[in-house]
Amino acid sequence: MDKINIKRLAEELNLSTSTISRALQDSYQIGAATKQRVLELAKKLNYQPNPHASSLGSSRSKTIAVVIPEVFDSYFALAINGIEAVAQAQGYHVLIYLTHERLQLEQEILHAFRSGRVDGVVISVSAETTSTAHIQALRAQGVPVVFFDRAADDVDTARVTTNDTESAYQATCHLIERRCTTLLLLSISRHLSIGRQRIAGYRQALTEHGLAFRDDDIVDCGQDPEANRELLEATLRARPGIDGIISTVEMLTESTYQACYALHRRIPQDVKVVSFYNSRSAAILNPSLTTISQPAFEMGKTAATLLLKALRNPKSTLVAENVVLPSVLTIRNSTASIG
Amino acid sequence: MDKINIKRLAEELNLSTSTISRALQDSYQIGAATKQRVLELAKKLNYQPNPHASSLGSSRSKTIAVVIPEVFDSYFALAINGIEAVAQAQGYHVLIYLTHERLQLEQEILHAFRSGRVDGVVISVSAETTSTAHIQALRAQGVPVVFFDRAADDVDTARVTTNDTESAYQATCHLIERRCTTLLLLSISRHLSIGRQRIAGYRQALTEHGLAFRDDDIVDCGQDPEANRELLEATLRARPGIDGIISTVEMLTESTYQACYALHRRIPQDVKVVSFYNSRSAAILNPSLTTISQPAFEMGKTAATLLLKALRNPKSTLVAENVVLPSVLTIRNSTASIG
DNA sequence: CCAGATTACGCAAGCGTTTGCGCAGATATA
DNA sequence: TATATCTGCGCAAACGCTTGCGTAATCTGG
């Protein structure tokens, strides 16, 4: 039971290795009969091509990388599903890298990609990502990059986002219509385009309704749920007038609810809450949560599709298109009007 | 600006490529001074080794595969984190494959691993996985496999599980102590060892408390939340006496709550609910959920550690050890006693 | 001071595929 | 019939790195 490789197939069939290789690739240069024979023997011998050898030979790895901050948030979990689905369908493999919201890790990871390990990258940048030299550098090496959800503005490549500004605007309007007057916005990054846009939508809604935008109505949260809860408790305690909260990430929902519970601020009677949220549990929260849910799966799928299309066309430069998939606002009890 | 590879470094330093290679690997065969020079030039030229070439040359890919059914469940999301953490720390890369609970996909995926694409596999088998020939075959090819959470009993390799029997036992006892007498157990697979064990624990608790074990108290659920909700509604409607539910997977919690809501069965007054659940949202559900939470992150970490340890030792066969990390029962309102 | 051990490096044969080019023989064109 | 055009396949050079083995030079101890 020797190693069975292309050479072995060649000997067995009295063909050259190049013919085998081409036959397996369904090359037009090989006759139908020969292809047939090769395919059959390959199946019979259970031949598995060595991916490293083909990657080396062809300098194409059939592998893409997914670089994301975390995988806790349902958003990223769903997005991975979408990405994996199209990759698997097209014979690509998916490497996962987590940056844990740290720029340095993101840089190191992307830097390593210059080796040709992956053919392309789908990325959602970390909360710390201000500088984008590492991304530019990677692109300069010819590795296509597609953003999804969290994009860096100063890199002009394809990006798949959702209508953040509008969603935040809608959410804010919704709260205002429900008679909220003092709205907090919970953010995890002010410089992320996504953060800025959500703030912008929030701001726009406020001014359109004649409400003042105050910079300290924006609460900068971190990664630790406990710390965030404490921060929110302190904020709510210090400002009893707050009657509405917009949480821009799923993770902050728990801290928000807990803070309200702790201070006996009733949702929605005292404080109304809306959150960007993608888990099905929204409907069974206490109270059920009004959500802005992003089309996470679709976004992942779209991003991967764009990337793979670019990979199929060797000379194609990924144009700076921006695919925007709409989020949807689902109204539940956390913003119910009272009485 | 040529391609910079090992040969280039060699020319630049008047050394042979083998010396460069060994220097970069910090081989004992190379003098400290030379190593220094190599390292410096490598850094200066921003040298990135070609992973496919080294994989081909060494027949080691520095890559492991994670094969899981889904990534929605917080459990798997957390486990991925654990796996990725140790892999990244040890210079390994992580390929993700989703089986979507389908045996056929799992077989195809594992079959492809015989090519040497990955050095090892961490897997949680699909709900359909009864036959394990594909896993055995992979191991026979010399690819080490470590199970986590969902293991196949008839493959003797390392596995990282939690104390499923005991947890289910505890959960059941808890419900019985809370005066439940008619308990439903929601399962997604009867033949998965994990499913069987949870059923066993449930059964044991019942009999120890003099309650009858009825086979149709076990509800076989599928993958579709809507369908599951309907199934549960029908079951609850048909059997009004049910006063306790044990859900063995996170995903089923929502369907359970929704079914209860729809039928106006109050939790915990009419029906008490406990679920295997790993998301932080447990505390903010309506009502807050009594959970059995598995040490998902730790389990992933442990599984990856075992695998990598085995990979470090070329001749090591992965012994059939079973690392059991305990789950914890956290009592919340969904099982509160009344009055 | 010399045999044997040790240190530091080079040679060159892989690893398994891919792919540009070349070249017969068969077919089509004029 | 001679020339041009396909068709189908083989030759052999990459691709970039690893590693077994060989070998000078240097170092030990008796």
Side-chain angles (χ1 to χ4, degrees):
Chain A
M1 191 61 106
D2 272 335
K3 294 289 170 199
I4 86 120
N5 49 28
I6 242 181
K7 189 157 139 200
R8 171 76 182 285
L9 295 184
E11 287 166 359
E12 208 95 356
L13 293 173
N14 277 321
L15 290 171
S16 72
T17 61
S18 50
T19 300
I20 305 291
S21 174
R22 281 191 257 253
L24 292 171
Q25 296 176 69
D26 199 26
S27 160
Y28 71 99
Q29 301 183 51
I30 304 300
T34 309
K35 277 183 191 169
Q36 186 71 2
R37 292 174 59 212
V38 172
L39 270 291
E40 272 170 10
L41 184 63
K43 174 145 292 177
K44 180 178 156 211
L45 295 187
N46 199 3
Y47 166 71
Q48 289 292 100
N50 181 309
H52 306 116
S54 27
S55 296
L56 184 58
S58 65
S59 47
R60 267 177 290 111
S61 66
K62 283 282 188 181
T63 301
I64 64 175
V66 174
V67 181
I68 53 178
E70 292 290 353
V71 69
F72 305 117
D73 253 50
S74 300
Y75 176 79
F76 289 115
L78 289 163
I80 288 179
N81 252 276
I83 294 168
E84 213 266 351
V86 342
Q88 197 165 100
Q90 303 196 24
Y92 273 75
H93 301 259
V94 180
L95 282 167
I96 291 275
Y97 296 89
L98 305 180
T99 63
H100 300 286
E101 302 283 14
R102 292 181 43 216
L103 173 58
Q104 196 197 330
L105 218 46
E106 183 177 297
Q107 288 170 330
E108 289 172 12
I109 291 165
L110 261 61
H111 190 261
F113 289 164
R114 304 202 205 174
S115 63
R117 178 181 297 276
V118 298
D119 296 344
V121 177
V122 177
I123 185 174
S124 203
V125 299
S126 86
E128 290 182 1
T129 301
T130 46
S131 146
T132 57
H134 57 302
I135 304 177
Q136 307 277 21
L138 186 58
R139 297 192 67 218
Q141 300 272 322
V143 180
V145 174
V146 173
F147 290 111
F148 74 105
D149 196 47
R150 305 190 191 171
D153 335 83
D154 52 343
V155 182
D156 47 310
T157 182
R159 59 194 65 204
V160 179
T161 57
T162 184
N163 54 349
D164 289 297
T165 309
E166 193 183 330
S167 305
Y169 173 81
Q170 282 178 17
T172 311
C173 288
H174 172 63
L175 288 180
I176 295 173
E177 283 161 16
R178 291 290 205 252
R179 310 209 177 287
C180 294
T181 58
T182 314
L183 299 176
L184 233 45
L185 183 126
L186 315 186
S187 169
I188 56 158
S189 171
R190 298 222 196 199
H191 46 257
L192 239 38
S193 71
I194 201 174
R196 287 205 314 277
Q197 288 181 24
R198 290 176 187 179
I199 292 174
Y202 160 78
R203 184 168 194 160
Q204 184 190 340
L206 287 183
T207 52
E208 278 189 14
H209 288 80
L211 295 177
F213 171 85
R214 292 182 39 180
D215 202 65
D216 47 322
D217 285 343
I218 297 179
V219 183
D220 294 300
C221 299
Q223 288 306 118
D224 177 30
E226 299 306 327
N228 290 333
R229 182 184 52 71
E230 287 169 17
L231 174 60
L232 289 175
E233 272 194 48
T235 308
L236 288 175
R237 208 190 312 267
R239 304 188 45 198
I242 288 165
D243 55 7
I245 298 180
I246 300 161
S247 151
T248 60
V249 285
E250 177 162 328
M251 188 201 77
L252 294 175
T253 304
E254 190 229 347
S255 302
T256 304
Y257 270 46
Q258 294 284 19
C260 290
Y261 292 169
L263 299 178
H264 302 291
R265 296 278 221 286
R266 295 166 304 167
I267 309 173
Q269 292 87 342
D270 303 327
V271 182
K272 301 194 196 306
V273 178
V274 50
S275 180
F276 283 73
Y277 201 90
N278 293 283
S279 163
R280 294 186 59 98
S281 62
I284 60 171
L285 295 190
N286 185 16
S288 65
L289 178 67
T290 293
T291 59
I292 295 157
S293 52
Q294 304 156 284
F297 181 85
E298 286 300 330
M299 288 173 74
K301 215 167 140 179
T302 307
T305 303
L306 288 177
L307 180 62
L308 294 189
K309 198 191 302 173
L311 291 178
R312 218 169 303 127
N313 198 335
K315 65 180 192 320
S316 87
T317 324
L318 226 29
V319 312
E321 67 181 314
N322 188 4
V323 180
V324 178
L325 301 178
S327 292
V328 338
L329 175 68
T330 305
I331 298 172
R332 297 199 184 81
N333 288 333
S334 67
T335 58
S337 34
I338 319 145
Chain B
M1 190 63 107
D2 272 335
K3 294 287 170 198
I4 87 119
N5 49 28
I6 240 180
K7 187 153 129 200
R8 171 77 183 284
L9 295 185
E11 286 166 0
E12 209 94 355
L13 293 174
N14 276 325
L15 290 171
S16 72
T17 61
S18 51
T19 299
I20 305 291
S21 174
R22 280 190 258 253
L24 292 171
Q25 295 175 72
D26 198 28
S27 160
Y28 71 99
Q29 302 182 51
I30 304 300
T34 309
K35 278 183 191 169
Q36 187 70 2
R37 292 175 57 213
V38 173
L39 269 291
E40 272 170 10
L41 184 64
K43 174 145 293 177
K44 179 178 157 213
L45 295 187
N46 199 4
Y47 166 72
Q48 290 292 100
N50 182 309
H52 306 116
S54 29
S55 296
L56 185 58
S58 65
S59 47
R60 267 178 290 110
S61 65
K62 282 282 188 179
T63 301
I64 64 175
V66 175
V67 181
I68 53 178
E70 293 289 354
V71 70
F72 304 118
D73 253 50
S74 301
Y75 176 79
F76 290 116
L78 289 164
I80 289 178
N81 250 277
I83 295 167
E84 213 267 351
V86 342
Q88 197 164 101
Q90 303 196 24
Y92 272 75
H93 302 259
V94 180
L95 282 167
I96 291 276
Y97 296 88
L98 305 180
T99 63
H100 301 285
E101 302 282 14
R102 292 182 42 216
L103 173 58
Q104 197 197 329
L105 217 47
E106 183 177 297
Q107 289 169 331
E108 290 172 11
I109 291 166
L110 261 61
H111 190 262
F113 290 164
R114 305 201 206 174
S115 62
R117 178 181 298 276
V118 297
D119 295 344
V121 177
V122 176
I123 185 175
S124 204
V125 300
S126 87
E128 290 181 1
T129 302
T130 45
S131 146
T132 58
H134 57 302
I135 304 178
Q136 308 275 20
L138 186 58
R139 297 192 66 216
Q141 300 272 322
V143 180
V145 174
V146 173
F147 290 111
F148 75 104
D149 197 47
R150 304 190 191 171
D153 335 84
D154 52 343
V155 182
D156 46 310
T157 182
R159 59 194 65 204
V160 180
T161 57
T162 183
N163 53 348
D164 288 296
T165 309
E166 193 183 332
S167 305
Y169 173 81
Q170 282 178 17
T172 310
C173 287
H174 172 63
L175 288 181
I176 295 172
E177 283 160 15
R178 292 291 205 249
R179 309 210 178 288
C180 293
T181 58
T182 314
L183 299 176
L184 233 45
L185 183 127
L186 316 184
S187 169
I188 56 158
S189 172
R190 297 221 196 198
H191 46 259
L192 238 40
S193 71
I194 202 175
R196 286 205 314 278
Q197 287 181 23
R198 289 176 188 180
I199 292 174
Y202 159 78
R203 183 167 194 161
Q204 183 190 342
L206 287 184
T207 53
E208 278 188 15
H209 289 79
L211 294 176
F213 170 85
R214 291 182 40 178
D215 202 65
D216 46 320
D217 284 342
I218 296 179
V219 183
D220 295 300
C221 300
Q223 288 306 118
D224 177 30
E226 299 305 326
N228 290 332
R229 182 185 50 73
E230 287 170 18
L231 175 61
L232 289 175
E233 271 195 48
T235 308
L236 289 174
R237 207 189 314 265
R239 305 187 46 197
I242 289 165
D243 55 7
I245 298 180
I246 300 161
S247 151
T248 60
V249 285
E250 177 162 328
M251 188 201 75
L252 294 175
T253 303
E254 190 230 345
S255 302
T256 304
Y257 271 47
Q258 295 283 19
C260 290
Y261 292 170
L263 298 178
H264 302 291
R265 295 277 222 286
R266 296 166 302 167
I267 309 173
Q269 293 86 342
D270 303 326
V271 181
K272 301 194 196 305
V273 177
V274 50
S275 181
F276 282 74
Y277 201 91
N278 293 283
S279 162
R280 295 185 59 100
S281 62
I284 61 170
L285 295 190
N286 185 17
S288 64
L289 178 68
T290 293
T291 59
I292 296 157
S293 51
Q294 304 156 284
F297 181 84
E298 287 300 331
M299 287 173 75
K301 214 166 142 180
T302 307
T305 303
L306 288 177
L307 181 61
L308 293 189
K309 198 192 301 173
L311 292 178
R312 217 170 303 126
N313 198 334
K315 67 181 189 322
S316 87
T317 325
L318 225 30
V319 312
E321 66 182 313
N322 188 3
V323 180
V324 178
L325 301 177
S327 292
V328 339
L329 175 69
T330 305
I331 297 172
R332 298 199 183 82
N333 288 334
S334 67
T335 58
S337 33
I338 319 143

